[in-house]
Amino acid sequence: MAAPGTLEFDGASYPDGRASDPRELGWMQGSPPAPGKRIRFADDNFLSFPQIRWSLSHMRELVPTVNVWRGEGQASSLGEPGDGAAIDALTFTDMNGRARRWDESLYDTYTDGVVVLHKGRRVYERYFGALQPHVPHSCFSITKSYAATLCATLVHEGVLDERQLVPHYLPEMKGTAYANATLRNVMDMQIGVAYSEAYADPKADIWDYSRAGGLRPRPAGYSGPESFYDYLVTLKPEGAHGEAFAYKTVNTELMAWIMKRVTGVPLADMLSQRLWSQLGCEQDGYITVDPIGVPMGGGGLSASLRDLARFGELMRREGEWNGRQLIPAAVVQDIARGEDPAKFAKAGYKLLPGYSYRSMWWVTHNEHGGFEGRGIHGQRLYVAPKAELVVAKFGSHPVAASAAHDPITVPALIALGRLVQG
Amino acid sequence: MAAPGTLEFDGASYPDGRASDPRELGWMQGSPPAPGKRIRFADDNFLSFPQIRWSLSHMRELVPTVNVWRGEGQASSLGEPGDGAAIDALTFTDMNGRARRWDESLYDTYTDGVVVLHKGRRVYERYFGALQPHVPHSCFSITKSYAATLCATLVHEGVLDERQLVPHYLPEMKGTAYANATLRNVMDMQIGVAYSEAYADPKADIWDYSRAGGLRPRPAGYSGPESFYDYLVTLKPEGAHGEAFAYKTVNTELMAWIMKRVTGVPLADMLSQRLWSQLGCEQDGYITVDPIGVPMGGGGLSASLRDLARFGELMRREGEWNGRQLIPAAVVQDIARGEDPAKFAKAGYKLLPGYSYRSMWWVTHNEHGGFEGRGIHGQRLYVAPKAELVVAKFGSHPVAASAAHDPITVPALIALGRLVQG
């Protein structure tokens, strides 16, 4: 049992969400911040805990970024939030059998902010720590859900053909793991590629990939890949395509490369043109860029919490927004329907039984037809059509893997769906 | 005489504004950009020509930045621009006796964009190269005019005392050049400090200062200052204070440090709270930050061209905006009145006879009472109250020093003042 105000993960103890508030702890405050309270890119600790509690609301202050322009229109209305008392008081049982209350659970999942929409109206909104309503927060891998929804739209429009092999679009990828992979294999992450994304392992390939993209400092004398693209062409095959789900961020980067090669439109501009400026987003978003200016499709997006919720609401409405079809309904229906749970099961996510993965959304196949974008350290965009529910949630959890908080988050979202359904 | 389509500065030949359009030249286009068309921070060439023609509209994609939030209000109206034909056809004689036409002169000054307001209405607006209306562009040292206008406002409000010595606010500065300098000395750049800002000299101190601030790559084994503040405390005296104008960016950085130390409000937030959100700016701006997150008060601001013009218009209106006094009229009047031209003359700007420098504005003492913010490579915010004129101009000139284009720009602005006066 962890001491009061602390939580344990994998045998290590951490201050909980309340006790690690970066404002209370004084991170990056003062002129200059005290030496022990500085968060510098070069120190390679901005994703360490508790620094991460500040960093995920300040990514652009650490690395170069490109703007996702909201356009010139008015922000769309989400309605005025109520007091949310019924949601705060919601009780549920976590996967370990412990009774929990919604409001208290937010501290135990290191929540930075949460917005709940029911039938498109904002029924709950909370902010914690470094996050404010107008401040973009890292979406991490929810970026993938944005990018692949646009990719599936390009497929629907005939701009891309999901049956084509990767080298049809990117001849550079001949001789790599992707030589005989289809675009659809990539979109569903059913790729046999030698690449590890075990975040807790400092030797995992994800960190080499991050260094290639300029998102972690490079050691003196670094001679590795100079960009995401340079990294992608080094990837070697391991296993077959199309047989099992295997979560690897490089797939999204490759998909984004294909989108850019074929359309000529950078991801940041495509997000602006097709989503941000159409949805009445209230803040510009941004995407981290690699050393040659390529936006990181695999996890670089930061957005305001409300704007993340707007994207979820668009998906709940099957792509329709104020009478215009921004994303084809067939694209959303295909995502909501999901893929083969048997292929998902091979990936071994014990906390996610019966799930599947389609176009870079995690499909729960639960009682509310829920599907979700998920990002490390507590990012979640949950869309539950049968409960007419959207939940956008940002966090800065000490542990990267969602497994650290899914035992709370997954049952909380199902309980919330039941509550709003009445 | 330079060849057609080229211009000569200091004996070197450059393609002119038309011939160096970064879109036409393909800089940073393609996926990936061709090796010869990449602009990377690590290559230390993003301010080289012609790369600079792209970079100054894309600073945030090269270095970390902090947002200057525009708030939630509607953008203020500048009126619809006319066709600007009369301004395009304006003729004037440059300082070398050559007859010029306004529209053609824009290419010879490497203009990225220009907006002209007369009586607060937009009478002319043009964009070139990489700049678009919604894209922030580097203001370089016009940042100083923003920062010092806010500093003078804090003095007016009694938050700061301009007669105090620097160490009163920053004890760290005892034992430096600033030990016996007043805040007012700093605001007017009448400081005796050993520091060179000769941009054409690669050994000038300005480049060490830039490396300290993370705005230029550091060589392997770099052991210099790690931040702007660390750099400032190294500065040694050279000459007396209060006797002569001497343009040194470190003065602004020091002033911004004092503002932050006393108010606790970061410069980006102060700009947002007091200007961006009050003026109805239409885009967020941003400021480059140093490795410990300090916004660069000396030159780090990027703003959209129209938002720069809005600040000029606020100054023309002596700080009043829609019935509210955002900046005290006395502060603006004090700037417009200028300082002692005899002290300015000692700095040896042969192209700027009779000028003075007050609160980090250049005061022309010309027939229109003009005062202006100036930034290297062609940035200008010209406020001419007697002509009811504001001109905001961004450029990406191959030469840093304004002396490279002042022979055209200075007479062009005076001629424009006469034209709009009718």
Side-chain angles (χ1 to χ4, degrees):
Chain A
M1 189 68 183
T6 69
L7 297 168
E8 283 189 9
F9 304 101
D10 303 325
S13 178
Y14 303 87
D16 71 12
R18 225 181 231 108
S20 60
D21 186 313
R23 299 167 305 180
E24 303 294 325
L25 296 178
W27 287 98
M28 291 298 273
Q29 292 173 29
S31 48
K37 297 294 186 185
R38 296 179 187 177
I39 298 171
R40 308 189 312 164
F41 177 77
D43 294 334
D44 204 7
N45 66 0
F46 64 99
L47 297 186
S48 303
F49 188 86
Q51 290 90 332
I52 193 171
R53 303 228 61 204
W54 181 87
S55 302
L56 298 194
S57 297
H58 294 268
M59 290 295 285
R60 67 176 292 168
E61 295 163 51
L62 295 161
V63 293
T65 57
V66 63
N67 198 44
V68 177
W69 187 42
R70 64 173 294 279
E72 294 172 335
Q74 284 271 62
S76 55
S77 172
L78 298 175
E80 287 307 310
D83 71 359
I87 292 177
D88 274 333
L90 172 66
T91 56
F92 60 96
T93 303
D94 74 20
M95 287 185 187
N96 299 314
R98 177 172 158 191
R100 291 185 176 269
R101 204 179 123 111
W102 173 280
D103 53 2
E104 279 300 314
S105 77
L106 299 178
Y107 294 102
D108 288 345
T109 52
Y110 297 89
T111 303
D112 291 330
V114 55
V115 163
V116 177
L117 306 183
H118 183 233
K119 300 182 180 178
R121 310 308 291 172
R122 177 170 39 167
V123 294
Y124 188 85
E125 183 171 21
R126 296 287 186 272
Y127 295 89
F128 304 88
L131 191 62
Q132 300 176 67
H134 71 282
V135 172
H137 185 289
S138 177
C139 295
F140 279 132
S141 293
I142 305 175
T143 311
K144 295 179 170 73
S145 310
Y146 276 95
T149 301
L150 294 182
C151 188
T153 299
L154 293 172
V155 168
H156 183 90
E157 294 170 351
V159 176
L160 294 173
D161 180 347
E162 67 181 17
R163 299 161 303 183
Q164 283 286 358
L165 298 180
V166 167
H168 173 76
Y169 296 114
L170 295 173
E172 296 93 327
M173 296 305 289
K174 287 176 192 164
T176 74
Y178 295 86
N180 59 342
T182 64
L183 175 57
R184 173 47 68 184
N185 292 153
V186 175
M187 294 168 70
D188 291 344
M189 293 226 194
Q190 296 177 7
I191 296 291
V193 55
Y195 173 90
S196 156
E197 191 140 335
Y199 287 92
D201 174 6
K203 303 223 180 247
D205 299 300
I206 181 71
W207 302 123
D208 290 333
Y209 165 74
S210 296
R211 271 182 285 269
L215 297 172
R216 290 191 71 187
R218 295 169 175 181
Y222 176 81
S223 62
E226 285 294 333
S227 68
F228 288 132
Y229 296 166
D230 281 356
Y231 185 86
L232 293 175
V233 298
T234 70
L235 290 168
K236 298 300 172 202
E238 183 180 86
H241 307 313
E243 297 188 350
F245 168 60
Y247 186 81
K248 297 180 179 185
T249 293
V250 285
N251 293 321
T252 318
E253 219 56 63
L254 182 75
M255 181 191 76
W257 189 3
I258 291 171
M259 293 164 68
K260 172 67 162 67
R261 176 68 61 86
V262 171
T263 65
V265 181
L267 180 59
D269 291 346
M270 198 180 293
L271 286 168
S272 170
Q273 292 161 11
R274 289 180 178 257
L275 294 175
W276 251 254
S277 64
Q278 306 298 324
L279 287 171
C281 283
E282 55 190 77
Q283 306 300 331
D284 290 354
Y286 61 81
I287 316 184
T288 60
V289 293
D290 82 354
I292 61 168
V294 175
M296 188 197 179
L301 180 67
S302 284
S304 84
L305 184 62
R306 292 177 191 157
D307 291 337
L308 178 65
R310 286 181 169 92
F311 178 51
E313 178 63 9
L314 176 70
M315 297 300 285
R316 188 188 74 83
R317 296 190 201 179
E318 294 192 338
E320 178 273 335
W321 194 266
N322 286 341
R324 297 182 54 226
Q325 198 71 34
L326 304 184
I327 301 294
V331 164
V332 183
Q333 290 159 0
D334 177 76
I335 289 167
R337 198 156 46 233
E339 228 269 334
D340 181 357
K343 289 182 181 173
F344 185 92
K346 293 179 185 175
Y349 291 88
K350 295 201 177 82
L351 302 177
L352 309 177
Y355 277 47
S356 68
Y357 190 82
R358 181 66 169 174
S359 295
M360 300 187 187
W361 289 85
W362 303 71
V363 186
T364 69
H365 300 274
N366 70 14
E367 66 194 69
H368 301 127
F371 54 99
E372 59 194 19
R374 299 164 70 98
I376 52 170
H377 296 286
Q379 321 323 314
R380 185 70 53 97
L381 177 59
Y382 179 68
V383 181
K386 291 179 189 165
E388 301 172 286
L389 173 71
V390 170
V391 182
K393 189 168 187 290
F394 285 138
S396 43
H397 199 288
V399 178
S402 299
H405 65 86
D406 271 339
I408 298 174
T409 306
V410 169
L413 293 173
I414 292 173
L416 181 60
R418 291 174 186 161
L419 175 73
V420 299
Q421 269 192 315
Chain B
M1 187 71 183
T6 69
L7 297 169
E8 283 189 7
F9 305 101
D10 304 323
S13 179
Y14 303 87
D16 70 11
R18 224 180 232 109
S20 60
D21 185 314
R23 298 168 305 179
E24 303 295 325
L25 296 178
W27 286 99
M28 291 297 273
Q29 292 173 28
S31 48
K37 297 294 186 184
R38 296 179 187 177
I39 298 171
R40 307 190 312 164
F41 177 76
D43 294 334
D44 204 7
N45 66 0
F46 65 97
L47 296 185
S48 303
F49 188 86
Q51 289 90 331
I52 193 172
R53 303 229 60 203
W54 181 88
S55 301
L56 298 195
S57 297
H58 295 268
M59 290 295 284
R60 67 176 291 169
E61 296 163 50
L62 295 161
V63 294
T65 57
V66 63
N67 198 45
V68 178
W69 186 41
R70 64 172 294 280
E72 293 174 336
Q74 284 271 61
S76 56
S77 173
L78 299 174
E80 288 306 311
D83 70 0
I87 291 177
D88 274 333
L90 172 66
T91 57
F92 61 96
T93 303
D94 73 20
M95 287 186 187
N96 298 313
R98 178 173 158 191
R100 291 186 176 269
R101 206 181 123 112
W102 174 279
D103 53 3
E104 279 300 313
S105 77
L106 299 178
Y107 294 103
D108 289 345
T109 53
Y110 297 88
T111 304
D112 291 330
V114 55
V115 163
V116 178
L117 306 183
H118 183 233
K119 300 182 180 177
R121 310 308 291 172
R122 178 171 36 168
V123 295
Y124 187 85
E125 184 171 20
R126 296 285 186 274
Y127 295 89
F128 304 88
L131 190 62
Q132 300 176 67
H134 71 281
V135 172
H137 185 287
S138 177
C139 295
F140 279 131
S141 293
I142 305 174
T143 310
K144 296 178 170 72
S145 310
Y146 277 94
T149 301
L150 294 182
C151 187
T153 300
L154 293 172
V155 169
H156 183 90
E157 293 170 351
V159 176
L160 295 173
D161 181 346
E162 66 182 16
R163 299 162 301 183
Q164 284 286 358
L165 298 180
V166 168
H168 174 76
Y169 297 114
L170 295 172
E172 297 93 326
M173 297 303 290
K174 286 176 191 164
T176 74
Y178 294 87
N180 59 342
T182 65
L183 175 57
R184 174 45 70 185
N185 292 153
V186 175
M187 293 168 72
D188 291 344
M189 293 226 193
Q190 296 177 7
I191 296 290
V193 55
Y195 173 90
S196 157
E197 191 140 333
Y199 287 92
D201 174 7
K203 304 226 180 245
D205 300 299
I206 180 71
W207 303 124
D208 290 332
Y209 164 74
S210 296
R211 270 182 286 269
L215 297 171
R216 288 192 72 186
R218 296 170 174 180
Y222 175 81
S223 62
E226 285 293 332
S227 67
F228 288 133
Y229 296 166
D230 281 355
Y231 184 86
L232 292 175
V233 297
T234 70
L235 290 167
K236 298 300 172 201
E238 183 181 86
H241 307 313
E243 297 189 350
F245 168 59
Y247 185 82
K248 298 179 179 185
T249 294
V250 285
N251 293 321
T252 317
E253 218 57 63
L254 182 75
M255 180 190 77
W257 189 4
I258 291 171
M259 294 163 69
K260 173 67 163 66
R261 175 67 62 87
V262 172
T263 65
V265 181
L267 181 59
D269 292 345
M270 199 180 292
L271 286 168
S272 170
Q273 292 161 11
R274 288 181 179 255
L275 294 175
W276 251 255
S277 65
Q278 305 300 323
L279 287 170
C281 283
E282 54 190 77
Q283 306 299 332
D284 290 354
Y286 61 81
I287 315 183
T288 60
V289 294
D290 83 353
I292 60 168
V294 174
M296 186 197 181
L301 180 67
S302 285
S304 85
L305 184 61
R306 292 177 191 156
D307 291 336
L308 179 65
R310 284 181 170 92
F311 178 50
E313 178 64 9
L314 176 70
M315 297 300 284
R316 188 188 76 82
R317 296 191 201 178
E318 295 191 338
E320 177 273 335
W321 194 266
N322 287 342
R324 298 182 53 226
Q325 199 71 34
L326 305 184
I327 302 292
V331 165
V332 182
Q333 290 158 0
D334 177 76
I335 289 166
R337 199 157 43 235
E339 228 268 333
D340 181 356
K343 290 181 182 174
F344 185 91
K346 293 179 185 176
Y349 292 88
K350 296 202 178 83
L351 301 178
L352 309 178
Y355 277 48
S356 68
Y357 191 83
R358 182 67 169 173
S359 295
M360 300 188 188
W361 290 84
W362 304 70
V363 185
T364 69
H365 301 273
N366 71 13
E367 66 193 70
H368 300 127
F371 54 98
E372 59 195 19
R374 300 164 69 97
I376 52 170
H377 295 287
Q379 321 322 316
R380 185 69 54 95
L381 177 58
Y382 179 69
V383 181
K386 291 179 188 163
E388 300 171 287
L389 174 71
V390 170
V391 181
K393 190 169 187 289
F394 285 139
S396 43
H397 198 287
V399 177
S402 299
H405 65 88
D406 272 339
I408 298 175
T409 306
V410 170
L413 293 173
I414 293 173
L416 181 61
R418 292 175 186 162
L419 176 73
V420 299
Q421 269 193 315

